[in-house]
Amino acid sequence: MCGILAVLGCVDNSQAKRSRIIELSRRLRHRGPDWSGLHCFEDCYLAHERLAIVDPTSGDQPLYNEDKTVAVTVNGEIYNHKALRENLKSHQFRTGSDCEVIAHLYEEHGEEFVDMLDGMFAFVLLDTRDKSFIAARDAIGITPLYIGWGLDGSVWFASEMKALSDDCEQFMCFPPGHIYSSKQGGLRRWYNPPWFSELVPSTPYDPLLVRSTFEKAVIKRLMTDVPFGVLLSGGLDSSLVASVALRHLEKSEAACQWGSKLHTFCIGLKGSPDLKAGREVADYLGTRHHELHFTVQDGIDAIEEVIYHVETYDVTTIRASTPMFLMSRKIKSLGVKMVLSGEGSDEIFGGYLYFHKAPNKKEFHEETCRKIKALHQYDCLRANKSTSAWGVEARVPFLDKEFINVAMSIDPEWKMIRPDLGRIEKWVLRNAFDDEKNPYLPKHILYRQKEQFSDGVGYSWIDGLKDHANKHVSDTMLMNASFVFPDNTPLTKEAYYYRTIFEKFFPKSAARATVPGGPSVACSTAKAVEWDAAWSQNLDPSGRAALGVHVSAYGEDKTEDSRPEKLQKLAEKTPAIV
């Protein structure tokens, strides 16, 4: 991941303004420590902090068309850039960068080219011939982008809020799947897939199609000229990413440079569920596994830095971002600059434990749609900014455009959790990779119960955070929270503690409004809380708040040993497709 900053139409174009742009761009240098670039044209500035993944030697930015009348600053990866170049043979390319196609596609097609891009991206493009500009963000919002407005009429874009919050009067999250056009004077949606309407689909479940589409998504993301690995918690999603990547690594271009031994990484408190499961999957696959440990105190000490980098006060996000932030630092120290990760599967397939309570397939499907639409505020934000804090790029194959279209077209009746039929959460995905002749994973891993990342690193992590917050936030402080924080009022001491840190770094009301709110149980949306009356009394984002569902739910007397036995019985009942 790189860092971009663009300021367009500012009144002041003095040397002092240029110095200010460089200073603000420097706030993003953790995202791109490899090189810095700045393009100035009259009252417009495009800045770039580069993390070199593809074509490290010549792909510095900003990038240009042939005569440099079109300049673009990009944060992202365009996986189909070679295919796009084939249709741009009349154009002259200067670099091997995957992002250079954007300038030439604009020349060829004008503003209507964004849907041709297959990848994750945020970019700002300046056409100096008429001083028009466009900015766009990928379909789901894997790559972060903010938009702001200055008092002088200038329009600002930045990868992170910290680069524009001080100089903009107003700012907000740039919505995923949108393009901003200076010619048309505002935002419009370029990404309009069938599932976006939330109408219930009726396509029959095709397990082999699910499998092949996901394998293609993983293969695309092996595009790299630097060392890479896979984040492996030992849960279903990360284990499938690792298994598929390993199967196809040997034939990839990456293997020619870095060999076919896959590196995997896992973090947790000593004795945590993820460490145990991650090691088991790594041993089964034969990866070069790196087991990383942290203590509760290590995490607590990093909280302020995490909130500064991740730019949120959402409780779930901070809980999960902290171990990921610590892990990314150790990954970077090993010389790895890119990782594959398993985000997005739970939203697409209804993998969170609260989906057990979905009353019917219509509500199930609508909730998955809501969850995907909100990913840019939660898991995408966490995965991107936690890793980018240390100059590491995270790629997420489950959020491939084609894979989402296939998965979201399936009749949701197949996704419903049906214990009577041996279907646990994400059965559609598990069944698609249940291959008896050439197994992707052992059965008990393939049918392991969902464990949220902040839980899986060790249950005492969340308990430790709550204890720490209780020491710093008094009952009186929480009682008066609605007066101190009238917008998005924190309801727990933990939430209050995170909010005070956030406000220290980002005091403006516009910053506050970039963070979502509302009641949630086990990561649900506010709407899904209505599915079970008991949940409204237990509003906690941990998976253990799914009372009556999670085998280690809060207040339920169930031992850890009961989990494998329960899931093994379900696995035995579930038919393989091959």
Side-chain angles (χ1 to χ4, degrees):
M1 284 287 110
C2 304
I4 65 172
L5 172 64
V7 185
L8 303 124
C10 51
V11 171
D12 178 11
N13 61 354
S14 64
Q15 180 60 39
K17 188 66 174 181
R18 181 187 177 96
S19 297
R20 178 60 175 165
I21 300 296
I22 291 171
E23 178 190 342
L24 293 173
S25 183
R26 198 178 296 128
R27 296 183 184 181
L28 302 172
R29 193 158 293 167
H30 54 274
R31 298 183 64 85
D34 297 335
W35 196 250
S36 301
L38 178 62
H39 174 79
C40 304
F41 178 78
E42 296 180 4
D43 58 357
C44 299
Y45 301 83
L46 300 182
H48 190 267
E49 304 292 340
R50 187 182 186 207
L51 180 68
I53 303 286
V54 175
D55 187 23
T57 54
S58 69
D60 295 337
Q61 295 195 36
L63 296 159
Y64 304 92
N65 66 339
E66 291 87 345
D67 61 5
K68 292 198 171 184
T69 54
V70 174
V72 61
T73 182
V74 190
N75 171 25
E77 304 291 344
I78 310 302
Y79 303 121
N80 65 335
H81 73 105
K82 289 183 179 178
L84 291 170
R85 283 181 185 233
E86 287 297 311
N87 297 320
L88 295 165
K89 291 200 171 165
S90 62
H91 293 257
Q92 183 181 349
F93 286 80
R94 284 191 173 84
T95 75
S97 169
D98 54 295
C99 295
E100 191 180 349
V101 294
I102 292 173
H104 299 288
L105 285 170
Y106 171 78
E107 280 191 296
E108 197 73 26
H109 302 283
E111 296 179 357
E112 307 305 320
F113 71 89
V114 183
D115 200 22
M116 300 177 190
L117 302 175
D118 183 6
M120 55 179 185
F121 54 83
F123 68 81
V124 181
L125 181 149
L126 172 65
D127 187 339
T128 62
R129 294 167 295 191
D130 58 5
K131 280 186 69 176
S132 65
F133 62 89
I134 60 172
R137 189 177 183 190
D138 66 61
I140 304 300
I142 302 164
T143 307
L145 188 64
Y146 294 81
I147 180 172
W149 296 268
L151 281 173
D152 61 354
S154 56
V155 184
W156 294 58
F157 301 93
S159 295
E160 294 183 4
M161 190 162 56
K162 58 181 67 66
L164 55 69
S165 59
D166 289 345
D167 291 54
C168 289
E169 189 66 17
Q170 283 293 333
F171 53 89
M172 67 179 208
C173 287
F174 192 102
H178 278 72
I179 181 172
Y180 180 94
S181 166
S182 64
K183 286 179 181 174
Q184 299 193 20
L187 289 155
R188 70 179 185 273
R189 171 168 284 283
W190 65 263
Y191 179 59
N192 294 289
W195 63 266
F196 210 83
S197 67
E198 300 186 10
L199 294 174
V200 178
S202 57
T203 306
Y205 169 48
D206 182 344
L208 293 178
L209 179 61
V210 171
R211 182 196 294 185
S212 63
T213 311
F214 181 67
E215 291 197 316
K216 286 178 194 171
V218 173
I219 292 167
K220 286 179 200 175
R221 285 156 181 79
L222 297 179
M223 179 185 82
T224 177
D225 293 325
V226 299
F228 78 101
V230 176
L231 304 185
L232 179 61
S233 68
L236 174 69
D237 307 327
S238 64
S239 299
L240 283 178
V241 171
S243 180
V244 173
L246 187 63
R247 287 194 179 203
H248 298 280
L249 179 58
E250 198 171 333
K251 297 175 186 174
S252 71
E253 291 181 18
C256 298
Q257 297 185 67
W258 309 109
S260 56
K261 192 71 173 177
L262 184 66
H263 289 255
T264 52
F265 305 91
C266 185
I267 192 167
L269 305 176
K270 284 190 177 176
S272 69
D274 279 3
L275 288 180
K276 181 182 175 186
R279 170 62 65 186
E280 186 177 4
V281 175
D283 289 346
Y284 176 81
L285 297 176
T287 69
R288 178 75 182 274
H289 192 57
H290 306 268
E291 198 170 277
L292 311 172
H293 301 95
F294 78 107
T295 66
V296 172
Q297 191 59 54
D298 290 334
I300 288 170
D301 290 342
I303 289 289
E304 286 212 11
E305 211 174 349
V306 168
I307 292 173
Y308 172 75
H309 278 288
V310 180
E311 302 181 323
T312 188
Y313 50 84
D314 174 68
V315 171
T316 322
T317 306
I318 294 167
R319 287 176 177 179
S321 293
T322 305
M324 198 168 195
F325 172 86
L326 297 172
M327 175 168 56
S328 298
R329 186 176 190 179
K330 292 192 176 186
I331 288 172
K332 188 59 181 287
S333 73
L334 295 169
V336 171
K337 294 173 76 172
M338 185 273 281
V339 291
L340 302 183
S341 192
E343 279 76 16
S345 171
D346 291 315
E347 287 74 14
I348 294 167
F349 293 106
Y352 292 105
L353 298 182
Y354 72 88
F355 275 94
H356 280 250
K357 301 283 189 174
N360 53 59
K361 72 176 186 179
K362 180 176 182 290
E363 292 211 31
F364 189 106
H365 179 71
E366 289 172 353
E367 176 71 358
T368 59
C369 293
R370 288 190 292 266
K371 290 292 290 180
I372 296 171
K373 290 175 183 178
L375 265 169
H376 68 288
Q377 296 176 304
Y378 295 102
D379 284 22
C380 287
L381 178 141
R382 165 182 57 78
N384 182 281
K385 292 183 180 177
S386 298
T387 54
S388 294
W390 299 106
V392 175
E393 175 176 289
R395 297 180 181 176
V396 283
F398 281 108
L399 295 180
D400 179 81
K401 271 200 302 184
E402 185 184 353
F403 181 73
I404 292 175
N405 285 341
V406 167
M408 292 302 289
S409 68
I410 299 169
D411 185 334
E413 185 65 45
W414 288 95
K415 296 181 182 178
M416 292 282 284
I417 294 144
R418 295 282 304 274
D420 56 316
L421 298 177
R423 294 183 193 169
I424 63 171
E425 63 277 353
K426 289 189 291 196
W427 177 85
V428 162
L429 181 63
R430 300 174 199 272
N431 186 60
F433 285 90
D434 195 344
D435 188 332
E436 296 283 2
K437 290 184 180 178
N438 189 16
Y440 286 79
L441 295 168
K443 282 268 194 185
H444 64 283
I445 293 291
L446 196 59
Y447 292 94
R448 183 190 180 204
Q449 187 180 58
K450 162 69 183 170
E451 195 74 89
Q452 284 166 215
F453 184 50
S454 53
D455 286 332
V457 296
Y459 294 149
S460 58
W461 164 233
I462 290 176
D463 298 335
L465 283 174
K466 290 180 176 180
D467 290 344
H468 181 72
N470 287 339
K471 291 172 186 173
H472 287 79
V473 179
S474 67
D475 292 342
T476 305
M477 290 163 74
L478 187 60
M479 191 186 306
N480 293 324
S482 60
F483 301 105
V484 180
F485 303 116
D487 300 319
N488 229 347
T489 304
L491 301 177
T492 66
K493 291 184 177 181
E494 186 185 3
Y496 191 106
Y497 178 65
Y498 299 153
R499 183 66 171 272
T500 56
I501 298 170
F502 178 88
E503 297 276 344
K504 181 172 70 174
F505 294 126
F506 308 104
K508 289 188 176 179
S509 58
R512 234 166 281 146
T514 64
V515 182
S520 174
V521 61
C523 287
S524 74
T525 65
K527 177 69 177 171
V529 172
E530 300 169 8
W531 291 350
D532 191 314
W535 286 351
S536 62
Q537 307 303 314
N538 194 52
L539 295 174
D540 189 283
S542 167
R544 290 182 290 159
L547 303 180
V549 177
H550 195 292
V551 295
S552 297
Y554 291 142
E556 295 194 358
D557 185 20
K558 293 187 179 180
T559 65
E560 199 71 13
D561 292 335
S562 67
R563 182 189 307 164
E565 182 182 346
K566 177 180 176 181
L567 296 182
Q568 184 61 40
K569 287 178 181 175
L570 279 174
E572 288 166 0
K573 288 171 65 179
T574 305
I577 62 161
V578 179

